[in-house]
Amino acid sequence: MDELAGIRDEIRNHASNAWARERGYEPIYSASPRSRIVVIGQAPGKQAQESQVPWNDPSGVKLRQWLGVTDAQFYDPDTIALLPMDFYYPGRGAHGDLPPRTDFAPLWHPRILALMPAVRLTVLIGSYAQKHYLGISAKKNLTETVRACRDYVPDRIPLVHPSPLNFRWQAKNPWFETDVIPALQALVADAIRSGLRT
């Protein structure tokens, strides 16, 4: 864990995060060399930043339901690593939270992921994570990428954001609950079982 702790210190002290240090913000993510699953989302919301607990909001409750895991499993980094595309709350914009900084994940994610050799499944939540990690294999939009989730399994699966604000999208796309969620839960369960066997 020493290398991971060292990277956290680097993130905290990096010049690009001076504004966050001034506000008393800590980088919001979790990782372990034994992580079996990585959940990559956008950036922490204000509630998560203030509580220092990632996915500490109704979106997190829904996400844990989708994954089929308990709170204890979700917050155990030996089971699930939580790596947003930016580890700091970006602030509010005209139409909700600002997007994650585009240069953040390329700088820090590769170093953290390299220290997690046990990962079996990467869950990509939302368009920012999908565009970054799927690249040209992503479809023309988020809906089509999520609909084509079986193109990316068994090691990756794209999801829509579990925000309550996405209820209209979910109502228009009932296949998500009937097709994608069962596939997701099977992959998650298998990744967790693989950790128990080692």
Side-chain angles (χ1 to χ4, degrees):
M1 290 295 287
D2 288 348
E3 284 188 77
L4 285 170
I7 292 174
R8 183 179 289 275
D9 288 341
E10 286 186 53
I11 294 167
R12 184 184 297 112
N13 295 318
H14 196 271
S16 66
N17 300 322
W19 63 274
R21 288 196 305 277
E22 291 172 3
R23 298 181 187 186
Y25 286 176
E26 287 291 319
I28 305 299
Y29 73 100
S30 64
S32 163
R34 294 171 292 281
S35 300
R36 312 301 298 185
I37 299 164
V38 179
V39 173
I40 301 179
Q42 297 180 180
K46 187 175 183 181
Q47 189 172 335
Q49 185 71 72
E50 291 177 347
S51 68
Q52 304 291 305
V53 180
W55 293 99
N56 181 26
D57 53 24
S59 296
V61 173
K62 176 61 74 173
L63 177 58
R64 292 189 282 281
Q65 292 173 355
W66 286 355
L67 296 171
V69 298
T70 65
D71 288 1
Q73 289 173 312
F74 186 76
Y75 287 114
D76 175 9
D78 286 351
T79 302
I80 298 177
L82 305 172
L83 295 183
M85 292 296 289
D86 190 331
F87 300 160
Y88 296 95
Y89 172 58
R92 291 284 294 177
H95 303 288
D97 290 345
L98 292 169
R101 292 171 286 178
T102 57
D103 59 346
F104 191 92
L107 180 60
W108 301 108
H109 279 201
R111 294 180 59 193
I112 295 170
L113 291 169
L115 297 173
M116 296 193 294
V119 168
R120 295 293 177 268
L121 175 67
T122 300
V123 181
L124 300 170
I125 299 176
S127 59
Y128 298 112
Q130 289 163 20
K131 288 176 182 177
H132 183 78
Y133 279 97
L134 298 179
I136 61 172
S137 69
K139 310 306 178 186
K140 63 181 179 180
N141 57 42
L142 180 141
T143 298
E144 293 307 311
T145 300
V146 175
R147 190 193 300 270
C149 66
R150 285 179 172 78
D151 290 355
Y152 310 106
V153 299
D155 58 327
R156 298 175 295 176
I157 187 167
L159 299 181
V160 67
H161 196 282
S163 168
L165 298 176
N166 279 339
F167 70 94
R168 287 189 181 89
W169 184 94
Q170 293 179 54
K172 288 172 59 179
N173 298 281
W175 49 265
F176 180 74
E177 287 280 354
T178 58
D179 299 342
V180 177
I181 295 304
L184 169 68
Q185 292 182 355
L187 290 168
V188 167
D190 186 63
I192 292 173
R193 280 195 301 269
S194 71
L196 296 175
R197 291 194 296 265
T198 58

